[in-house]
Amino acid sequence: NMSRFLHLACQDSPLRRQETLELARILLPVFQREAADQEGIAQEVTPEKLLTAWEQTAGGAAQSDKGKPGALPDEEETDTAQDALRGAGFLDFFDPKEIIRKATVFLMKDRAGTVGAHGVGPMLNNLLADTTSRVHLIGHSFGAKVVLSALMAVQYPRKVASVLLLQPAINAFCFARSIQENGGKPGAYRSALARTEMPIFSTFSSRDAPLTSFFHIALRRDGDLGEIRPAAGPPSKFAALGGFGPAGMLPGESRTTPMLTPPDKYDLSDPNIRLYALDGSDQCITSHGDVRNKFTEWAMVNLVSGRALR
């Protein structure tokens, strides 16, 4: 398999459909491992579904995150030869390097959960058990999965002070009360809502191209590819929290609000609201990596200062 993988991966010319299916079969263990870790929704992965996902994401334009932090790879522009093939209607040609590049996203996501549960989790437990310090957790992209996996690792002796998720590359249903496709079970991180003193802040933006155009197709291979987005919801049950905001939560336990700047404060007076979805679509967050700015910094100030903010 390794020799055949190297042969397919190192080709300078695009792969034909049959070769792409062969590459999908070789890479299948990587994608199957990720499919078992869905933040609440399980998914069967087959070479044919991978091929469909690669077709859906081939050549999609996205705003560049070049020079900005971020765990998801930038959506780079395709080369002239590949563009010409697509322009001529030859959709059964695939760039092997692009396929492998996208496969690394699954490895990073899987690794984020492992690092959170087995690395950050024990450190967090020590902090909460051995000190009286107020602990604030912040995670960007797959770092949000690190944070939430750590928070869910064990039953801690006390709550963390706050959690700020910046463009989280995790499933929008991760806090859901009940997921029908998963036998009515709650989202995998729902219990995290009760493990923080302050409500969780989670940003999302329609300008985050990887999370709005790529995530739910390439990371969630499913029959509803290309499905029209409902009036108030994600385009797919595999959509990203950082692209579309939370889904499946009970009325009154989450609130969607535009991002604010000083001196406007977030209204945190309702104790029943456990998650604030901060909408950065209006030039507040312009790409996946645009998370260090006055809007996100003010959100952090509100959380760290809490209800004492004047």
Side-chain angles (χ1 to χ4, degrees), residues 19 58 81 94 112 128 139 194 203 213 263 282 287 292 300 302:
E19 292 175 315
F94 297 84
L128 295 174
T203 71
S213 303
D282 188 15
S287 67
R292 186 175 180 180
M300 184 173 67
N302 275 256

Side-chain angles (χ1 to χ4, degrees), residues 109-246:
K109 192 168 187 293
D110 180 74
R111 189 177 302 150
T114 301
V115 170
H118 302 293
V120 179
M123 180 182 68
L124 180 60
N125 188 61
N126 291 339
L127 279 172
L128 295 174
D130 299 339
T131 76
T132 58
S133 300
R134 299 179 73 235
V135 178
H136 304 275
L137 303 179
I138 303 173
H140 167 237
S141 190
F142 288 146
K145 185 175 179 71
V146 172
V147 164
L148 292 174
S149 297
L151 195 56
M152 297 293 296
V154 297
Q155 185 63 52
Y156 294 105
R158 58 188 177 92
K159 296 180 179 181
V160 299
S162 71
V163 173
L164 174 59
L165 308 178
L166 299 170
Q167 297 307 107
I170 52 181
N171 191 278
F173 287 86
C174 67
F175 299 117
R177 172 63 181 85
S178 175
I179 300 175
Q180 182 178 355
E181 293 86 353
N182 196 30
K185 295 179 181 178
Y189 297 138
R190 181 169 176 80
S191 297
L193 299 172
R195 297 190 175 196
T196 67
E197 295 174 7
M198 300 291 293
I200 292 175
F201 276 17
S202 182
T203 71
F204 71 99
S205 175
S206 62
R207 297 175 179 273
D208 185 330
L211 295 189
T212 56
S213 303
F214 168 68
F215 185 91
H216 61 283
I217 296 176
L219 268 73
R220 302 291 184 264
R221 297 128 323 259
D222 148 80
D224 63 359
L225 295 178
E227 176 179 297
I228 297 175
R229 182 182 178 186
S236 162
K237 63 188 177 184
F238 303 120
L241 180 62
F244 301 94

Side-chain angles (χ1 to χ4, degrees), residues 21 24-25 45-53 55:
L21 270 174
R25 292 189 184 95
V45 186
T46 66
E48 290 75 18
K49 286 188 176 183
L50 289 177
L51 183 64
T52 301
E55 285 178 327

